[in-house]
Amino acid sequence: MGTFSIWHWLIILAIVLLLFGTKRLKNLGTDLGSAIKGFKSAVKEESEKDEEEQKRAENLEHKEGEQPNANRVIESETIEAGKEKTAEKSSENKNS
């Protein structure tokens, strides 16, 4: 014969039922099932959180890289700023 036949497994099952009882085994199975379900949901939540953080990081990198007006110079503003600077220099020279 092999390692264990069906009769060996039935005898072991009967002994386990006698020792622990059906109610205790049912509670054990329920507890084990709820523990596995909780573990799966925690893993799923963690992976969703990681995906959200990755999307946020990608969006920030994308926004930092864009900056469409960063290198654009408006001539009227620079001319006005230049006039103000020359006016300040001339007033300082007059006061000295």
Coordinates of all heavy atoms in Angstrom, one line a residue:
M1 N 0.8 -1.2 0.0 CA 0.0 0.0 0.0 C 0.9 1.3 0.0 O 2.1 1.2 0.3 CB -0.9 0.0 1.2 CG -1.9 -1.1 1.3 SD -3.2 -0.5 2.3 CE -4.6 -1.1 1.4
G2 N 0.2 2.4 -0.2 CA 0.9 3.7 -0.3 C 1.2 4.2 1.1 O 1.1 3.5 2.1
T3 N 1.4 5.5 1.2 CA 1.6 6.1 2.5 C 0.4 6.1 3.4 O 0.5 5.7 4.5 CB 2.1 7.6 2.3 OG1 1.2 8.3 1.5 CG2 3.5 7.6 1.6
F4 N -0.7 6.6 2.8 CA -1.9 6.6 3.6 C -3.1 6.3 2.6 O -3.2 6.9 1.5 CB -2.2 8.0 4.2 CG -1.4 8.3 5.4 CD1 -0.4 9.3 5.3 CD2 -1.6 7.6 6.6 CE1 0.4 9.6 6.4 CE2 -0.8 7.9 7.7 CZ 0.2 8.9 7.6
S5 N -3.9 5.4 3.0 CA -5.1 5.1 2.2 C -6.3 6.0 2.7 O -6.2 6.7 3.7 CB -5.5 3.6 2.3 OG -5.9 3.3 3.6
I6 N -7.4 5.8 2.1 CA -8.6 6.6 2.5 C -9.0 6.2 3.9 O -9.5 7.1 4.6 CB -9.7 6.4 1.4 CG1 -10.9 7.3 1.7 CG2 -10.2 5.0 1.5 CD1 -10.6 8.7 1.3
W7 N -8.8 5.0 4.3 CA -9.2 4.6 5.6 C -8.4 5.3 6.7 O -8.9 5.6 7.8 CB -9.2 3.1 5.8 CG -10.2 2.4 4.9 CD1 -9.9 1.7 3.7 CD2 -11.6 2.5 5.0 NE1 -11.1 1.3 3.2 CE2 -12.2 1.7 3.9 CE3 -12.5 3.0 6.0 CZ2 -13.5 1.6 3.8 CZ3 -13.8 2.8 5.8 CH2 -14.3 2.1 4.7
H8 N -7.1 5.5 6.4 CA -6.3 6.2 7.4 C -6.8 7.6 7.6 O -6.8 8.1 8.7 CB -4.8 6.2 6.9 CG -4.1 4.9 7.0 ND1 -3.8 4.2 5.8 CD2 -3.7 4.1 8.0 CE1 -3.2 3.0 6.2 NE2 -3.2 3.0 7.5
W9 N -7.1 8.3 6.5 CA -7.6 9.7 6.6 C -8.9 9.8 7.3 O -9.1 10.7 8.1 CB -7.7 10.3 5.2 CG -6.4 10.6 4.6 CD1 -5.8 10.0 3.5 CD2 -5.4 11.5 5.0 NE1 -4.6 10.5 3.2 CE2 -4.3 11.5 4.2 CE3 -5.3 12.4 6.1 CZ2 -3.1 12.2 4.3 CZ3 -4.2 13.2 6.2 CH2 -3.1 13.1 5.4
L10 N -9.8 8.8 7.1 CA -11.1 8.8 7.8 C -10.9 8.6 9.3 O -11.6 9.2 10.1 CB -12.0 7.7 7.2 CG -12.5 8.0 5.8 CD1 -13.4 6.8 5.3 CD2 -13.4 9.3 5.8
I11 N -10.0 7.7 9.7 CA -9.7 7.5 11.1 C -9.1 8.8 11.7 O -9.5 9.2 12.8 CB -8.8 6.3 11.3 CG1 -9.5 5.0 10.9 CG2 -8.3 6.2 12.7 CD1 -8.6 3.8 10.8
I12 N -8.2 9.4 11.0 CA -7.6 10.6 11.6 C -8.7 11.7 11.7 O -8.7 12.4 12.7 CB -6.4 11.1 10.7 CG1 -5.3 10.1 10.8 CG2 -6.0 12.5 11.0 CD1 -4.1 10.4 9.8
L13 N -9.5 11.8 10.7 CA -10.6 12.8 10.8 C -11.6 12.5 12.0 O -11.9 13.5 12.7 CB -11.4 12.8 9.5 CG -12.6 13.8 9.4 CD1 -12.1 15.2 9.5 CD2 -13.4 13.5 8.1
A14 N -11.9 11.3 12.2 CA -12.7 10.9 13.3 C -12.1 11.3 14.7 O -12.7 11.8 15.6 CB -13.1 9.4 13.3
I15 N -10.8 11.0 14.8 CA -10.1 11.3 16.0 C -10.1 12.9 16.2 O -10.3 13.3 17.4 CB -8.6 10.8 16.0 CG1 -8.7 9.2 16.0 CG2 -7.8 11.3 17.1 CD1 -7.4 8.6 15.8
V16 N -9.8 13.6 15.2 CA -9.8 15.1 15.3 C -11.2 15.6 15.7 O -11.3 16.5 16.6 CB -9.3 15.7 14.0 CG1 -9.5 17.2 14.0 CG2 -7.8 15.4 13.7
L17 N -12.2 15.1 15.1 CA -13.6 15.5 15.5 C -13.9 15.2 16.9 O -14.5 15.9 17.6 CB -14.6 14.8 14.6 CG -14.7 15.4 13.1 CD1 -15.6 14.6 12.3 CD2 -15.1 16.9 13.2
L18 N -13.4 14.0 17.4 CA -13.7 13.6 18.8 C -12.9 14.5 19.8 O -13.4 14.9 20.8 CB -13.3 12.2 19.0 CG -14.2 11.1 18.5 CD1 -13.7 9.7 18.6 CD2 -15.6 11.2 19.1
L19 N -11.7 14.9 19.4 CA -10.9 15.7 20.3 C -11.4 17.1 20.4 O -11.5 17.7 21.4 CB -9.4 15.7 19.9 CG -8.6 14.4 20.1 CD1 -7.2 14.5 19.5 CD2 -8.5 14.1 21.6
F20 N -11.6 17.7 19.2 CA -11.9 19.2 19.2 C -13.4 19.5 19.1 O -13.9 20.5 19.5 CB -11.2 19.8 18.0 CG -9.7 19.8 18.1 CD1 -9.0 19.0 17.3 CD2 -9.1 20.6 19.1 CE1 -7.6 18.9 17.4 CE2 -7.7 20.6 19.2 CZ -7.0 19.7 18.4
G21 N -14.2 18.6 18.5 CA -15.6 18.8 18.4 C -15.9 19.7 17.1 O -15.0 20.4 16.7
T22 N -17.1 19.6 16.6 CA -17.4 20.3 15.4 C -17.5 21.8 15.6 O -17.2 22.5 14.7 CB -18.7 19.7 14.8 OG1 -19.8 19.9 15.8 CG2 -18.6 18.3 14.4
K23 N -18.0 22.2 16.7 CA -18.2 23.6 17.0 C -16.9 24.3 17.0 O -16.7 25.4 16.5 CB -19.0 23.8 18.3 CG -19.3 25.3 18.5 CD -20.2 25.4 19.8 CE -20.6 26.9 19.9 NZ -21.4 27.0 21.1
R24 N -15.9 23.7 17.7 CA -14.6 24.3 17.8 C -13.9 24.4 16.4 O -13.2 25.4 16.1 CB -13.7 23.5 18.7 CG -12.6 24.2 19.3 CD -12.0 23.3 20.4 NE -11.3 24.1 21.4 CZ -10.5 23.6 22.3 NH1 -10.4 22.3 22.4 NH2 -9.9 24.4 23.1
L25 N -14.0 23.3 15.6 CA -13.5 23.3 14.3 C -14.1 24.4 13.4 O -13.5 25.0 12.6 CB -13.6 21.9 13.6 CG -12.7 20.9 14.2 CD1 -12.9 19.5 13.6 CD2 -11.2 21.2 14.1
K26 N -15.4 24.5 13.5 CA -16.2 25.5 12.8 C -15.6 26.9 13.1 O -15.4 27.8 12.2 CB -17.7 25.4 13.0 CG -18.5 26.4 12.2 CD -19.9 26.3 12.5 CE -20.7 27.3 11.8 NZ -22.2 27.3 12.2
N27 N -15.5 27.2 14.4 CA -15.0 28.5 14.8 C -13.5 28.7 14.3 O -13.2 29.8 13.9 CB -15.0 28.6 16.3 CG -16.4 28.8 16.9 OD1 -17.3 29.1 16.1 ND2 -16.5 28.5 18.1
L28 N -12.7 27.7 14.3 CA -11.4 27.8 13.8 C -11.4 28.1 12.3 O -10.6 29.0 11.9 CB -10.6 26.5 14.1 CG -9.2 26.4 13.6 CD1 -8.3 27.4 14.5 CD2 -8.7 25.0 13.8
G29 N -12.2 27.4 11.6 CA -12.3 27.7 10.1 C -12.8 29.1 9.9 O -12.3 29.8 9.0
T30 N -13.8 29.6 10.6 CA -14.3 31.0 10.5 C -13.2 32.0 10.8 O -13.0 33.0 10.0 CB -15.5 31.2 11.4 OG1 -16.5 30.2 11.1 CG2 -16.1 32.6 11.2
D31 N -12.5 31.8 11.9 CA -11.4 32.7 12.2 C -10.3 32.7 11.2 O -9.8 33.8 10.8 CB -10.8 32.3 13.6 CG -11.8 32.5 14.7 OD1 -12.7 33.3 14.5 OD2 -11.5 31.9 15.8
L32 N -10.0 31.5 10.7 CA -8.9 31.4 9.6 C -9.4 32.1 8.3 O -8.6 32.9 7.7 CB -8.6 30.0 9.3 CG -7.5 29.7 8.3 CD1 -6.2 30.3 8.8 CD2 -7.4 28.3 8.0
G33 N -10.7 32.0 8.0 CA -11.2 32.6 6.8 C -11.2 34.1 6.9 O -10.9 34.8 6.0
S34 N -11.6 34.6 8.1 CA -11.7 36.1 8.3 C -10.2 36.7 8.3 O -10.0 37.8 7.8 CB -12.4 36.5 9.5 OG -11.7 36.0 10.7
A35 N -9.3 35.9 8.8 CA -7.9 36.4 8.8 C -7.4 36.5 7.4 O -6.7 37.5 7.0 CB -7.0 35.5 9.6
I36 N -7.7 35.5 6.6 CA -7.2 35.5 5.2 C -7.9 36.7 4.4 O -7.2 37.4 3.7 CB -7.5 34.2 4.5 CG1 -6.6 33.1 5.1 CG2 -7.3 34.3 3.0 CD1 -6.9 31.7 4.6
K37 N -9.2 36.9 4.7 CA -9.9 38.0 4.0 C -9.3 39.3 4.4 O -9.1 40.2 3.6 CB -11.4 37.9 4.4 CG -12.2 38.9 3.6 CD -13.7 38.9 4.0 CE -14.4 37.7 3.4 NZ -15.8 37.7 3.6
G38 N -9.0 39.5 5.7 CA -8.4 40.8 6.2 C -7.0 41.0 5.6 O -6.7 42.1 5.2
F39 N -6.3 39.9 5.4 CA -4.9 40.1 4.8 C -5.0 40.5 3.4 O -4.3 41.4 2.9 CB -4.2 38.7 4.9 CG -2.8 38.7 4.3 CD1 -1.8 39.4 4.9 CD2 -2.6 38.1 3.1 CE1 -0.5 39.4 4.3 CE2 -1.4 38.1 2.5 CZ -0.3 38.8 3.1
K40 N -6.0 39.9 2.6 CA -6.1 40.2 1.2 C -6.6 41.7 1.0 O -6.1 42.4 0.2 CB -7.2 39.3 0.6 CG -6.7 37.9 0.3 CD -7.7 37.1 -0.4 CE -7.2 35.7 -0.8 NZ -8.3 34.9 -1.4
S41 N -7.5 42.1 1.9 CA -8.0 43.5 1.8 C -6.8 44.5 2.1 O -6.7 45.6 1.5 CB -9.2 43.8 2.6 OG -8.9 43.6 4.0
A42 N -6.0 44.2 3.1 CA -4.9 45.0 3.5 C -3.9 45.1 2.4 O -3.4 46.2 2.1 CB -4.2 44.5 4.8
V43 N -3.6 44.0 1.7 CA -2.7 44.0 0.6 C -3.2 44.9 -0.6 O -2.5 45.6 -1.2 CB -2.4 42.6 0.1 CG1 -1.6 42.6 -1.2 CG2 -1.6 41.9 1.2
K44 N -4.5 44.7 -0.8 CA -5.2 45.5 -1.9 C -5.1 47.0 -1.6 O -4.8 47.8 -2.5 CB -6.6 45.0 -2.1 CG -7.3 45.6 -3.2 CD -8.7 45.1 -3.4 CE -9.5 45.7 -4.5 NZ -10.8 45.2 -4.6
E45 N -5.4 47.4 -0.4 CA -5.4 48.8 0.0 C -4.0 49.4 -0.2 O -3.8 50.5 -0.6 CB -5.9 49.0 1.4 CG -7.4 48.8 1.6 CD -7.8 48.8 3.0 OE1 -7.0 49.1 3.9 OE2 -9.0 48.6 3.3
E46 N -3.0 48.6 0.2 CA -1.6 49.1 0.2 C -1.2 49.2 -1.3 O -0.5 50.2 -1.6 CB -0.7 48.1 0.9 CG 0.7 48.6 1.1 CD 0.8 49.7 2.0 OE1 0.0 49.8 2.9 OE2 1.7 50.6 1.8
S47 N -1.6 48.3 -2.1 CA -1.2 48.4 -3.6 C -1.9 49.6 -4.2 O -1.4 50.4 -5.0 CB -1.5 47.2 -4.3 OG -2.9 46.9 -4.4
E48 N -3.2 49.9 -3.8 CA -3.9 51.1 -4.3 C -3.2 52.4 -3.9 O -3.1 53.3 -4.6 CB -5.4 51.0 -3.9 CG -6.2 50.0 -4.6 CD -7.6 49.9 -4.1 OE1 -7.9 50.6 -3.1 OE2 -8.4 49.1 -4.6
K49 N -2.8 52.4 -2.6 CA -2.1 53.6 -2.1 C -0.8 53.8 -2.8 O -0.5 55.0 -3.1 CB -1.9 53.4 -0.6 CG -1.3 54.6 0.1 CD -0.9 54.3 1.5 CE -2.1 54.1 2.4 NZ -1.7 54.0 3.9
D50 N -0.1 52.8 -3.1 CA 1.2 52.9 -3.8 C 0.9 53.4 -5.2 O 1.7 54.3 -5.7 CB 1.9 51.5 -3.9 CG 2.5 51.1 -2.6 OD1 2.6 52.0 -1.7 OD2 2.8 49.9 -2.5
E51 N -0.2 53.0 -5.9 CA -0.5 53.5 -7.2 C -0.8 54.9 -7.2 O -0.4 55.7 -8.1 CB -1.6 52.6 -7.8 CG -1.3 51.2 -8.2 CD -2.5 50.4 -8.6 OE1 -3.6 51.0 -8.8 OE2 -2.3 49.2 -8.9
E52 N -1.6 55.4 -6.2 CA -2.0 56.8 -6.1 C -0.7 57.7 -5.8 O -0.6 58.7 -6.4 CB -3.0 57.0 -4.9 CG -4.3 56.4 -5.2 CD -5.3 56.6 -4.0 OE1 -4.9 57.3 -3.0 OE2 -6.4 56.0 -4.0
E53 N 0.2 57.2 -5.0 CA 1.4 58.0 -4.7 C 2.2 58.1 -6.0 O 2.8 59.1 -6.3 CB 2.2 57.3 -3.6 CG 1.6 57.5 -2.3 CD 2.3 56.8 -1.2 OE1 3.4 56.2 -1.4 OE2 1.9 56.8 0.0
Q54 N 2.3 57.0 -6.8 CA 3.1 57.0 -8.0 C 2.5 58.0 -9.0 O 3.2 58.7 -9.7 CB 3.1 55.6 -8.6 CG 4.0 55.5 -9.8 CD 4.1 54.1 -10.3 OE1 3.3 53.2 -9.9 NE2 5.0 53.8 -11.2
K55 N 1.1 58.0 -9.1 CA 0.4 58.9 -10.0 C 0.7 60.4 -9.6 O 0.9 61.2 -10.4 CB -1.0 58.7 -10.1 CG -1.4 57.4 -10.8 CD -2.9 57.2 -10.8 CE -3.3 55.9 -11.5 NZ -4.7 55.6 -11.5
R56 N 0.6 60.6 -8.3 CA 0.9 62.0 -7.8 C 2.3 62.4 -8.1 O 2.6 63.6 -8.6 CB 0.7 62.1 -6.3 CG -0.7 62.0 -5.9 CD -0.9 62.1 -4.4 NE -2.2 61.9 -4.0 CZ -2.6 61.6 -2.8 NH1 -1.7 61.4 -1.8 NH2 -3.9 61.4 -2.5
A57 N 3.3 61.5 -8.0 CA 4.7 61.9 -8.3 C 4.9 62.1 -9.7 O 5.6 63.1 -10.1 CB 5.6 60.7 -7.8
E58 N 4.2 61.3 -10.6 CA 4.3 61.6 -12.0 C 3.7 62.9 -12.4 O 4.2 63.6 -13.2 CB 3.6 60.4 -12.8 CG 4.4 59.1 -12.7 CD 3.6 58.0 -13.4 OE1 2.4 58.2 -13.8 OE2 4.1 56.9 -13.4
N59 N 2.5 63.2 -11.8 CA 1.9 64.5 -12.1 C 2.8 65.7 -11.7 O 2.9 66.7 -12.4 CB 0.5 64.6 -11.4 CG -0.5 63.8 -12.1 OD1 -0.4 63.4 -13.2 ND2 -1.6 63.4 -11.3
L60 N 3.4 65.6 -10.5 CA 4.3 66.7 -10.1 C 5.5 66.8 -11.0 O 5.9 67.9 -11.3 CB 4.8 66.4 -8.6 CG 3.8 66.6 -7.5 CD1 4.4 66.2 -6.2 CD2 3.3 68.0 -7.5
E61 N 6.1 65.7 -11.4 CA 7.2 65.8 -12.4 C 6.8 66.4 -13.7 O 7.5 67.2 -14.3 CB 7.8 64.4 -12.6 CG 8.5 63.8 -11.4 CD 8.9 62.4 -11.6 OE1 8.7 61.8 -12.8 OE2 9.5 61.8 -10.7
H62 N 5.6 66.0 -14.1 CA 5.1 66.6 -15.4 C 4.8 68.1 -15.3 O 5.2 68.8 -16.1 CB 3.8 65.8 -15.7 CG 3.2 66.3 -17.0 ND1 3.8 66.0 -18.2 CD2 2.0 66.9 -17.3 CE1 3.1 66.5 -19.2 NE2 2.0 67.1 -18.7
K63 N 4.2 68.5 -14.1 CA 4.0 69.9 -14.0 C 5.3 70.7 -13.8 O 5.4 71.8 -14.4 CB 3.1 70.2 -12.7 CG 1.7 69.7 -12.9 CD 0.9 70.0 -11.7 CE -0.6 69.5 -11.9 NZ -1.4 69.6 -10.6
E64 N 6.3 70.2 -13.2 CA 7.5 70.9 -13.0 C 8.3 71.0 -14.3 O 8.9 72.0 -14.6 CB 8.4 70.2 -12.0 CG 8.0 70.3 -10.6 CD 8.8 69.5 -9.6 OE1 9.7 68.8 -10.1 OE2 8.5 69.6 -8.4
G65 N 8.1 70.0 -15.2 CA 8.8 70.0 -16.5 C 8.1 71.0 -17.5 O 8.8 71.5 -18.4
E66 N 6.9 71.2 -17.3 CA 6.1 72.1 -18.3 C 6.6 73.5 -18.2 O 7.3 74.0 -19.0 CB 4.6 72.0 -18.0 CG 4.0 70.8 -18.7 CD 2.5 70.9 -18.5 OE1 2.0 71.9 -18.0 OE2 1.9 69.9 -18.9
Q67 N 6.1 74.3 -17.2 CA 6.3 75.7 -17.0 C 6.4 76.4 -18.3 O 7.5 76.9 -18.8 CB 7.6 75.9 -16.2 CG 7.6 75.3 -14.8 CD 8.8 75.5 -14.1 OE1 9.8 76.1 -14.6 NE2 8.9 75.1 -12.8
P68 N 5.3 76.6 -19.0 CA 5.3 77.2 -20.3 C 5.7 78.7 -20.3 O 6.3 79.2 -21.3 CB 3.8 77.1 -20.8 CG 3.0 77.0 -19.5 CD 3.9 76.3 -18.5
N69 N 5.5 79.4 -19.3 CA 5.8 80.9 -19.2 C 7.2 81.2 -18.5 O 7.5 82.3 -18.3 CB 4.7 81.7 -18.5 CG 3.4 81.6 -19.3 OD1 3.5 81.5 -20.6 ND2 2.3 81.6 -18.7
A70 N 7.9 80.1 -18.2 CA 9.1 80.3 -17.4 C 10.2 81.1 -18.2 O 10.9 82.0 -17.7 CB 9.7 79.0 -17.0
N71 N 10.3 80.9 -19.5 CA 11.4 81.5 -20.3 C 10.9 82.6 -21.2 O 11.6 83.2 -21.9 CB 12.1 80.5 -21.2 CG 12.8 79.4 -20.4 OD1 13.3 79.7 -19.3 ND2 12.8 78.2 -20.9
R72 N 9.6 83.0 -21.0 CA 9.0 84.0 -21.8 C 9.2 85.4 -21.2 O 9.0 85.5 -20.0 CB 7.5 83.7 -22.0 CG 6.8 84.5 -23.0 CD 5.5 84.1 -23.2 NE 4.6 85.2 -22.8 CZ 3.3 85.1 -22.7 NH1 2.7 83.9 -22.8 NH2 2.6 86.1 -22.4
V73 N 9.7 86.3 -22.0 CA 10.0 87.7 -21.5 C 9.0 88.6 -22.1 O 8.9 88.6 -23.4 CB 11.4 88.1 -21.7 CG1 11.7 89.5 -21.3 CG2 12.4 87.1 -21.1
I74 N 8.3 89.4 -21.4 CA 7.4 90.4 -21.9 C 8.2 91.7 -22.0 O 8.7 92.2 -21.0 CB 6.2 90.6 -21.0 CG1 5.4 89.2 -20.9 CG2 5.3 91.7 -21.6 CD1 4.3 89.2 -20.0
E75 N 8.3 92.2 -23.2 CA 9.2 93.4 -23.5 C 8.7 94.6 -22.8 O 9.5 95.3 -22.2 CB 9.3 93.6 -25.0 CG 10.0 92.6 -25.7 CD 10.2 92.9 -27.2 OE1 10.2 94.1 -27.5 OE2 10.3 92.0 -28.0
S76 N 7.5 94.8 -22.7 CA 7.0 96.1 -22.1 C 7.3 96.1 -20.6 O 7.7 97.1 -20.0 CB 5.5 96.2 -22.3 OG 4.8 95.2 -21.6
E77 N 7.3 94.9 -19.9 CA 7.6 94.9 -18.5 C 9.1 95.2 -18.3 O 9.5 95.9 -17.4 CB 7.3 93.5 -17.9 CG 5.8 93.3 -17.8 CD 5.4 92.0 -17.2 OE1 6.4 91.2 -16.9 OE2 4.2 91.7 -17.1
T78 N 10.0 94.6 -19.2 CA 11.4 94.8 -19.0 C 11.8 96.2 -19.4 O 12.6 96.8 -18.7 CB 12.2 93.8 -19.9 OG1 11.8 94.0 -21.3 CG2 12.0 92.4 -19.5
I79 N 11.1 96.8 -20.3 CA 11.4 98.2 -20.7 C 11.0 99.1 -19.5 O 11.7 100.0 -19.1 CB 10.7 98.6 -22.0 CG1 11.3 97.8 -23.2 CG2 10.7 100.1 -22.2 CD1 10.6 98.0 -24.5
E80 N 9.8 98.9 -19.0 CA 9.3 99.7 -17.9 C 10.2 99.5 -16.7 O 10.6 100.5 -16.0 CB 7.9 99.3 -17.5 CG 6.9 99.7 -18.5 CD 5.5 99.2 -18.2 OE1 5.3 98.7 -17.1 OE2 4.6 99.4 -19.0
A81 N 10.7 98.3 -16.4 CA 11.6 98.1 -15.3 C 12.9 98.8 -15.5 O 13.5 99.4 -14.6 CB 11.8 96.6 -15.1
G82 N 13.4 98.8 -16.8 CA 14.6 99.5 -17.1 C 14.5 101.0 -16.9 O 15.4 101.7 -16.5
K83 N 13.3 101.6 -17.3 CA 13.1 103.0 -17.1 C 13.1 103.4 -15.7 O 13.6 104.4 -15.3 CB 11.8 103.4 -17.7 CG 11.8 103.4 -19.2 CD 10.4 103.8 -19.8 CE 10.4 103.8 -21.3 NZ 9.0 104.1 -21.8
E84 N 12.5 102.5 -14.8 CA 12.5 102.8 -13.4 C 13.9 102.8 -12.8 O 14.2 103.6 -12.0 CB 11.6 101.8 -12.7 CG 10.1 101.9 -13.0 CD 9.3 100.8 -12.3 OE1 9.9 99.9 -11.6 OE2 8.1 100.7 -12.6
K85 N 14.7 101.8 -13.3 CA 16.1 101.8 -12.8 C 16.8 103.0 -13.2 O 17.6 103.5 -12.4 CB 16.7 100.5 -13.3 CG 16.3 99.2 -12.6 CD 17.0 98.0 -13.1 CE 16.5 96.8 -12.5 NZ 17.2 95.6 -13.0
T86 N 16.7 103.4 -14.4 CA 17.4 104.6 -14.8 C 16.9 105.9 -14.1 O 17.7 106.7 -13.8 CB 17.3 104.8 -16.4 OG1 15.9 104.9 -16.7 CG2 18.0 103.7 -17.1
A87 N 15.6 105.9 -13.8 CA 15.1 107.0 -13.1 C 15.6 107.0 -11.7 O 15.9 108.1 -11.1 CB 13.6 107.0 -13.1
E88 N 15.8 105.9 -11.0 CA 16.3 105.8 -9.7 C 17.8 106.2 -9.7 O 18.2 106.9 -8.8 CB 16.2 104.3 -9.2 CG 14.7 103.9 -8.8 CD 14.7 102.4 -8.4 OE1 15.7 101.8 -8.3 OE2 13.5 102.0 -8.3
K89 N 18.5 105.8 -10.7 CA 19.9 106.1 -10.7 C 20.1 107.6 -10.9 O 21.0 108.3 -10.3 CB 20.6 105.4 -11.9 CG 20.9 103.9 -11.6 CD 21.6 103.3 -12.8 CE 21.8 101.8 -12.6 NZ 22.5 101.2 -13.7
S90 N 19.3 108.2 -11.8 CA 19.4 109.7 -12.0 C 19.0 110.4 -10.7 O 19.6 111.5 -10.4 CB 18.6 110.1 -13.2 OG 17.2 109.9 -12.9
S91 N 18.0 110.0 -10.0 CA 17.6 110.7 -8.8 C 18.7 110.5 -7.7 O 19.0 111.4 -6.9 CB 16.3 110.2 -8.3 OG 16.4 108.8 -7.9
E92 N 19.4 109.4 -7.7 CA 20.5 109.2 -6.7 C 21.7 110.1 -7.1 O 22.3 110.7 -6.2 CB 20.9 107.7 -6.7 CG 20.0 106.8 -6.1 CD 20.5 105.3 -6.2 OE1 21.6 105.1 -6.7 OE2 19.7 104.4 -5.8
N93 N 21.9 110.3 -8.3 CA 23.0 111.2 -8.8 C 22.7 112.6 -8.4 O 23.6 113.4 -8.1 CB 23.3 111.0 -10.3 CG 23.9 109.7 -10.6 OD1 24.4 109.0 -9.8 ND2 23.8 109.3 -11.9
K94 N 21.5 113.0 -8.6 CA 21.1 114.4 -8.2 C 21.2 114.7 -6.7 O 21.5 115.7 -6.3 CB 19.7 114.7 -8.7 CG 19.5 114.7 -10.2 CD 18.1 115.0 -10.6 CE 18.0 115.0 -12.1 NZ 16.6 115.2 -12.6
N95 N 20.8 113.6 -5.9 CA 20.8 113.8 -4.5 C 22.3 113.8 -3.9 O 22.5 114.3 -2.9 CB 20.0 112.7 -3.8 CG 18.5 112.8 -4.1 OD1 18.0 113.9 -4.3 ND2 17.8 111.7 -4.0
S96 N 23.2 113.2 -4.6 CA 24.6 113.1 -4.1 C 25.3 114.4 -4.3 O 25.2 115.4 -4.6 CB 25.4 112.1 -4.9 OG 24.7 110.9 -5.0

